[in-house]
Amino acid sequence: SVLGESHQAHRCAETAQRMDSHIPDCGGSKQAASFLSMSGIGDAKKIYNDVIKPGGAKGYSTFLGYYTLSAAALGADTYAEVIDVMREYWGTMLDLGATTFWEDFSIDWAKNDTGEFIAYGIDKLPTPGLKDIHGDYGAYCYVGFRHSLCHGWSSGPAPWLAENVLGIRCAEAGMKKITFNPNLGSLKYARGKVPTPNGEIQVEVEKSGDKLKTNLILPDGTERV
């Protein structure tokens, strides 16, 4: 519709209506549940409590991390809960030497049920008794060293942090208008830049008692609404 392609827009609307009449069970998949939540098909709070929250980082996906974090933010009581699971999942990758986003990762590859590491990281030499987090794991045809450790498709935490923690969301095409609603959760301070066609938006947010102290710098051609 935005592009003026009314015929294609009509086809899409008809297809969406047909799809809306058949919603399969998510089968316990946190990723599938996330799409049900974000699309408005399912109740965000119930989906979070029944599927996404149980097990914490277990069942999270690097590929679809953005959507699961976004669905969690819709259903959780506090942003602190979502940031905590981010620490658990992506934080464990950092503990294993990650400096870029990995193609795939399961918390079960790294730790046992008591939280002890069962694998050594990519910044370590082989360690007797421990698995190689890179060479011994992966999924489908990406087992072993075919498993990419620098994967753009897995960079979902970057936009999620910009939209939810820094609080910058697009309100008009081309970032001509934005909304600004930061949520620090359990953090005390956050700072970042969001690229736009008009230049960078710069944000600083600091917790001061029960209030947030913010500094928002917008480039020419972008306004807050």
Side-chain angles (χ1 to χ4, degrees), residues 175 194 196-202 217-223:
M175 297 289 277
V194 179
T196 82
N198 299 319
E200 291 181 334
I201 298 172
Q202 299 179 45
I217 301 175
L218 300 176
D220 292 339
T222 296
E223 65 173 301

Side-chain angles (χ1 to χ4, degrees), residues 188-206:
K188 295 181 180 179
Y189 176 80
R191 179 177 64 191
K193 298 177 181 179
V194 179
T196 82
N198 299 319
E200 291 181 334
I201 298 172
Q202 299 179 45
V203 184
E204 288 187 76
V205 186
E206 184 177 0

Side-chain angles (χ1 to χ4, degrees), residues 13-35:
E14 284 188 332
T15 302
Q17 190 173 15
R18 291 201 308 274
M19 292 173 66
D20 196 34
S21 66
H22 175 69
I23 308 300
D25 183 81
C26 68
S29 165
K30 294 190 176 186
Q31 288 63 247
S34 300
F35 293 134

Side-chain angles (χ1 to χ4, degrees), residues 43-56:
D43 180 81
K45 187 167 287 293
K46 186 176 188 308
I47 287 171
Y48 174 72
N49 288 323
D50 290 354
V51 183
I52 299 175
K53 183 178 180 178

Side-chain angles (χ1 to χ4, degrees), residues 8-190:
Q8 187 69 4
H10 180 68
R11 288 184 61 198
C12 291
E14 284 188 332
T15 302
Q17 190 173 15
R18 291 201 308 274
M19 292 173 66
D20 196 34
S21 66
H22 175 69
I23 308 300
D25 183 81
C26 68
S29 165
K30 294 190 176 186
Q31 288 63 247
S34 300
F35 293 134
L36 292 177
S37 178
M38 293 184 69
S39 64
I41 292 172
D43 180 81
K45 187 167 287 293
K46 186 176 188 308
I47 287 171
Y48 174 72
N49 288 323
D50 290 354
V51 183
I52 299 175
K53 183 178 180 178
K58 286 181 179 290
Y60 263 69
S61 156
T62 53
F63 237 57
L64 297 172
Y66 169 80
Y67 304 100
T68 310
L69 290 170
S70 296
L74 288 175
D77 292 329
T78 67
Y79 270 77
E81 293 180 45
V82 189
I83 292 172
D84 282 347
V85 81
M86 178 182 278
R87 285 193 181 102
E88 182 185 3
Y89 187 68
W90 283 273
T92 298
M93 277 186 269
L94 293 176
D95 292 339
L96 290 166
T99 56
T100 51
F101 293 104
W102 294 358
E103 182 175 18
D104 195 13
F105 176 68
S106 169
I107 204 78
D108 292 330
W109 297 352
K111 296 179 179 179
N112 59 24
D113 290 337
T114 62
E116 297 173 308
F117 278 93
I118 58 175
Y120 64 88
I122 62 173
D123 56 349
K124 301 282 194 307
L125 292 172
T127 304
L130 297 180
K131 290 279 192 177
D132 177 355
I133 197 67
H134 191 193
D136 292 335
Y137 293 109
Y140 307 105
C141 65
Y142 300 102
V143 176
F145 297 112
R146 281 201 69 197
H147 174 203
S148 167
L149 298 183
C150 183
H151 210 68
W153 277 75
S154 298
S155 60
W160 188 86
L161 287 167
E163 292 174 357
N164 293 275
V165 175
L166 294 182
I168 300 294
R169 290 181 182 268
C170 178
E172 186 176 306
M175 297 289 277
K176 294 175 183 176
K177 295 180 180 179
I178 59 102
T179 57
F180 178 53
N181 297 293
N183 295 280
L184 287 186
S186 54
L187 302 175
K188 295 181 180 179
Y189 176 80

